[in-house]
Amino acid sequence: MMRRRRTVTILTAAVLVLGVVGAVAFSTATGVVSEIFAEKGDYEGEGKDEIVITVIPGSSAREVANHLVEQDVIMSSKPFLDEIEKRDAVIQAGDFTMRKQMSSAAAVEALINPLANQRLAIPEGFSIKQIKGRMLDSGMDEASINEAIDEKKPADYGLDIEAPSLEGYLYPATYEIRPNMTAEQMVQEMVDKTKTEIDQIGIPADKVNEVFTLASIVQVEAPGNPEDRAKVARVFLNRIDKGQALQSDATVSYIHGARSDLTTTQEERESDNPYNTYKHTGLPPGPINSPSAEAVDAAQNPADGPWLFFVAVNPDTGETKYAETYADHQKNVEEYRVWLREHRKNNPSDDAEGEG
């Protein structure tokens, strides 16, 4: 199945722009932006309305200042940068709980006193690899993170279910990082939140891994529209009932990493890895990410329908078409290929067109 992969973080898209494309924009336009912001002065006091701000590794003080202005945390960049210079402060990477309309002095204090203010934001759909990266960026020790997560299962943290690893069971939420908090304590909180969700929904213990595994695939294949989530869940269940392979590019990308053009290669789809749903029928051994509550709901309450295929014919808009027959599916796939050809200037290979 083909689907545009999206990760929705608790931070706005501006963070991702800051870390990727925006780095160039800030470096070339910083002078103009700073001059405009500098005219606005400074807020007073500790601010209002909490907001989680992510400082990505390698961000300059000016980049952080400009982002804080965009999020209305501070009024302008110059007082903030002056405060940074006065304190000779160094801003660490991580997730920080701040407030809208803070004074520059209060904003700097929130960033340089992470033990009192730091938060760890785990977005829905994050894999263990991504979660470990966030924990590392927050300042936790890498060895301790690995010890708390690697080769561990939910049962090791009191969630009595059968699952191959902690993948899928580290609940996506925002966590407070308390002074002297260990990686193991943080993981325990994540698993405890997952256990609470399972108990509230009432999923039988012997069905949890099945539900969460399906939900994690739905999370990637249908990240936004509730109707599509329910339909995609039904497609996979229909294929399982007929003994057909799921053919989800989401699981192949979990093995090999997502490609820039959102597809998988023929070689990747021929892998013997148990998570390759092109090669193996049924669900993979366990979840491929930490699914949202909405994705879990879709896995438990799929739509009614005979569909066996789906394809996002326009990943930009999320428009998805469903089919009961392979012939109809191929017509939908051709629509997707038209979109793909128009968006493949940087990757002209025709080999990467996974389909189900």
Side-chain angles (χ1 to χ4, degrees):
M1 302 300 169
M2 294 172 288
R3 166 65 52 180
R4 179 182 178 122
R5 275 70 168 165
R6 302 181 211 169
T7 298
V8 180
T9 66
I10 194 168
L11 183 59
T12 64
V15 172
L16 296 180
V17 175
L18 175 64
V20 187
V21 180
V24 177
F26 278 124
S27 65
T28 57
T30 291
V32 175
V33 172
S34 295
E35 288 177 9
I36 294 173
F37 290 161
E39 298 173 358
K40 296 182 180 179
D42 197 8
Y43 290 124
E44 296 182 0
E46 299 296 320
K48 59 183 180 180
D49 300 331
E50 284 193 353
I51 181 174
V52 175
I53 294 293
T54 295
V55 177
I56 63 174
S59 296
S60 69
R62 188 175 296 278
E63 288 170 338
V64 174
N66 287 334
H67 181 59
L68 292 178
V69 171
E70 290 177 358
Q71 300 304 307
D72 196 30
V73 174
I74 58 176
M75 184 183 295
S76 59
S77 60
K78 188 176 185 304
F80 177 88
L81 294 172
D82 288 344
E83 187 72 21
I84 289 287
E85 184 176 2
K86 181 175 72 174
R87 299 192 187 197
D88 194 23
V90 176
I91 303 174
Q92 301 294 329
D95 299 307
F96 300 85
T97 296
M98 304 185 75
R99 293 182 180 274
K100 297 276 189 176
Q101 300 182 2
M102 305 175 74
S103 70
S104 292
V108 171
E109 179 64 24
L111 290 171
I112 66 175
N113 188 8
L115 290 180
N117 298 282
Q118 196 169 5
R119 298 290 189 274
L120 177 67
I122 304 300
E124 297 166 346
F126 257 37
S127 67
I128 274 183
K129 181 179 180 180
Q130 292 171 304
I131 292 172
K132 289 170 71 172
R134 279 290 177 95
M135 293 174 71
L136 184 62
D137 288 345
S138 76
M140 292 187 178
D141 176 68
E142 183 174 11
S144 298
I145 295 171
N146 292 337
E147 184 178 354
I149 294 177
D150 293 351
E151 300 183 11
K152 294 294 180 65
K153 297 182 179 182
D156 295 320
Y157 287 92
L159 179 53
D160 192 17
I161 62 170
E162 289 293 329
S165 71
L166 287 175
E167 187 74 87
Y169 299 101
L170 303 182
Y171 194 84
T174 301
Y175 298 87
E176 178 184 0
I177 302 179
R178 300 183 299 275
N180 302 317
M181 189 176 196
T182 66
E184 184 176 4
Q185 290 171 328
M186 178 59 74
V187 171
Q188 184 67 65
E189 287 195 14
M190 295 179 186
V191 177
D192 287 345
K193 281 186 176 290
T194 299
K195 184 177 186 300
T196 298
E197 180 189 27
I198 292 170
D199 292 342
Q200 289 176 343
I201 297 173
I203 307 175
D206 61 345
K207 295 292 184 181
V208 169
N209 195 60
E210 176 183 325
V211 170
F212 271 63
T213 299
L214 176 57
S216 71
I217 300 174
V218 170
Q219 177 72 41
V220 181
E221 299 282 10
N225 189 306
E227 182 179 350
D228 281 331
R229 282 195 294 264
K231 285 184 175 181
V232 168
R234 172 53 62 193
V235 169
F236 288 134
L237 291 172
N238 286 345
R239 294 180 75 92
I240 290 173
D241 288 343
K242 290 183 177 293
Q244 298 177 354
L246 300 188
Q247 296 187 335
S248 168
D249 284 352
T251 64
V252 179
S253 294
Y254 176 70
I255 302 166
H256 302 284
R259 295 167 57 86
S260 60
D261 62 2
L262 316 176
T263 58
T264 58
T265 67
Q266 182 65 30
E267 182 180 1
E268 289 170 345
R269 297 192 295 273
E270 291 177 352
S271 165
D272 285 329
N273 190 292
Y275 283 82
N276 180 5
T277 56
Y278 277 86
K279 194 71 174 288
H280 304 285
T281 59
L283 291 168
I288 60 174
N289 58 55
S290 292
S292 64
E294 292 78 11
V296 173
D297 180 69
Q300 278 204 293
N301 301 288
D304 292 326
W307 317 289
L308 291 172
F309 306 91
F310 72 89
V311 57
V313 295
N314 187 330
D316 282 337
T317 64
E319 181 185 1
T320 302
K321 291 190 176 181
Y322 301 83
E324 184 176 357
T325 68
Y326 186 70
D328 286 342
H329 176 59
Q330 284 300 103
K331 296 176 183 177
N332 296 336
V333 167
E334 186 53 38
E335 285 191 48
Y336 167 70
R337 285 175 173 159
V338 170
W339 177 91
L340 194 61
R341 284 192 290 270
E342 294 174 352
H343 293 76
R344 190 181 260 172
K345 295 178 181 179
N346 296 325
N347 186 10
S349 170
D350 288 330
D351 186 42
E353 293 190 5
E355 62 183 72

